[in-house]
Amino acid sequence: DTEVTQTPKHLVMGMTNKKSLKCEQHMGHRAMYWYKQKAKKPPELMFVYSYEKLSINESVPSRFSPECPNSSLLNLHLHALQPEDSALYLCASSQVRALNEQFFGPGTRLTVL
Amino acid sequence: SQQGEEDPQALSIQEGENATMNCSYKTSINNLQWYRQNSGRGLVHLILIRSNEREKHSGRLRVTLDTSKKSSSLLITASRAADTASYFCATEGYYGNNRLAFGKGNQVVVIP
């Protein structure tokens, strides 16, 4: 199984809502990532988990809260978002080593009203 | 920081023609990778070239890497309508800390 799944596909939320994005992989990868991508822009790294521990936080606002409950799952908890947070949120996974290719999920299209 | 920065291009070519896109970066790298993204979807890994390699092939793809010029090119030969997508290069830094820096991307449209 070389698939990374993400749910939901689409999410519309208000600025006072709390929601969560979910990501799952069963490739035995021990590195997992969250990226944010705006239209016609490259993905921007948000967080990296390595062996279920947060290893990189690219100065992401605290209204985004990542969680890695086990080696297959990655969540992104959202609270008090702003309209400018509307974007495609991509999850990826890889081996924990250099020369890694990353496997991406299809993304969650988030709209903040 | 953005390490991989390809010349922002929008290519429109006829099916069967070759498509070439370029990428430049600023610091030492461990490897450079190319990804494809179909509209609004996830990225798909195409090819990885290590910093000590100069050229690599995979099917209809040919990647070159010039570390002295800090640049790379991706050639897609005999393009097909299904190759219509955005193409991003991404660099992993010298110490390989799982951080990829993506370039701006190239939009390629292959006209049937």
Side-chain angles (χ1 to χ4, degrees):
Chain A
D1 183 0
T2 59
E3 190 180 22
V4 175
T5 59
Q6 289 188 244
T7 55
K9 287 189 170 62
H10 301 276
L11 179 62
V12 179
M13 59 186 292
M15 289 190 283
T16 58
N17 293 156
K18 287 186 182 180
K19 296 286 184 184
S20 296
L21 310 184
K22 297 187 184 301
C23 173
E24 189 167 5
Q25 57 89 16
H26 295 287
M27 292 177 277
H29 292 163
R30 302 300 294 276
M32 295 188 77
Y33 312 79
W34 281 115
Y35 289 88
K36 173 183 177 180
Q37 186 179 28
K38 302 283 264 185
K40 299 189 186 303
K41 297 291 187 184
E44 297 173 17
L45 183 64
M46 300 174 72
F47 303 103
V48 180
Y49 273 82
S50 178
Y51 297 110
E52 296 85 68
K53 298 252 187 295
L54 184 65
S55 59
I56 295 175
N57 177 343
E58 294 283 33
S59 303
V60 179
S62 60
R63 56 187 185 267
F64 295 91
S65 175
E67 178 195 22
C68 190
N70 60 55
S71 60
S72 299
L73 293 174
L74 185 66
N75 298 321
L76 185 63
H77 302 297
L78 314 173
H79 174 54
L81 295 193
Q82 303 296 311
E84 59 264 29
D85 296 321
S86 297
L88 181 67
Y89 287 84
L90 295 162
C91 172
S93 70
S94 75
Q95 302 284 355
V96 180
R97 56 171 172 75
L99 303 174
N100 73 95
E101 65 170 284
Q102 294 186 13
F103 291 77
F104 282 79
T108 293
R109 175 73 60 188
L110 174 67
T111 302
V112 182
L113 300 176
Chain B
S1 61
Q2 292 276 347
Q3 289 207 41
E5 297 184 6
E6 51 278 36
D7 298 340
Q9 286 186 30
L11 299 175
S12 184
I13 57 175
Q14 296 289 328
E15 203 165 29
E17 294 181 338
N18 296 342
T20 300
M21 57 209 90
N22 301 304
C23 169
S24 60
Y25 57 91
K26 295 180 179 175
T27 60
S28 297
I29 62 171
N30 181 289
N31 65 84
L32 185 144
Q33 306 177 32
W34 286 90
Y35 288 81
R36 183 187 76 230
Q37 184 177 34
N38 292 91
S39 180
R41 303 291 293 169
L43 282 76
V44 174
H45 182 266
L46 296 176
I47 195 165
L48 180 152
I49 186 164
R50 301 180 186 208
S51 59
N52 62 353
E53 296 177 310
R54 292 298 165 256
E55 185 170 316
K56 200 161 182 182
H57 296 256
S58 177
R60 294 183 296 111
L61 304 179
R62 173 178 170 257
V63 171
T64 62
L65 180 64
D66 187 334
T67 51
S68 66
K69 294 181 180 178
K70 292 186 168 57
S71 66
S72 172
S73 68
L74 172 67
L75 168 68
I76 305 173
T77 60
S79 62
R80 305 167 180 166
D83 295 328
T84 295
S86 293
Y87 292 83
F88 295 93
C89 78
T91 54
E92 183 174 22
Y94 182 76
Y95 294 103
N97 62 354
N98 289 119
R99 178 190 268 120
L100 285 183
F102 282 85
K104 293 184 176 68
N106 286 265
Q107 175 66 45
V108 175
V109 175
V110 181
I111 302 166

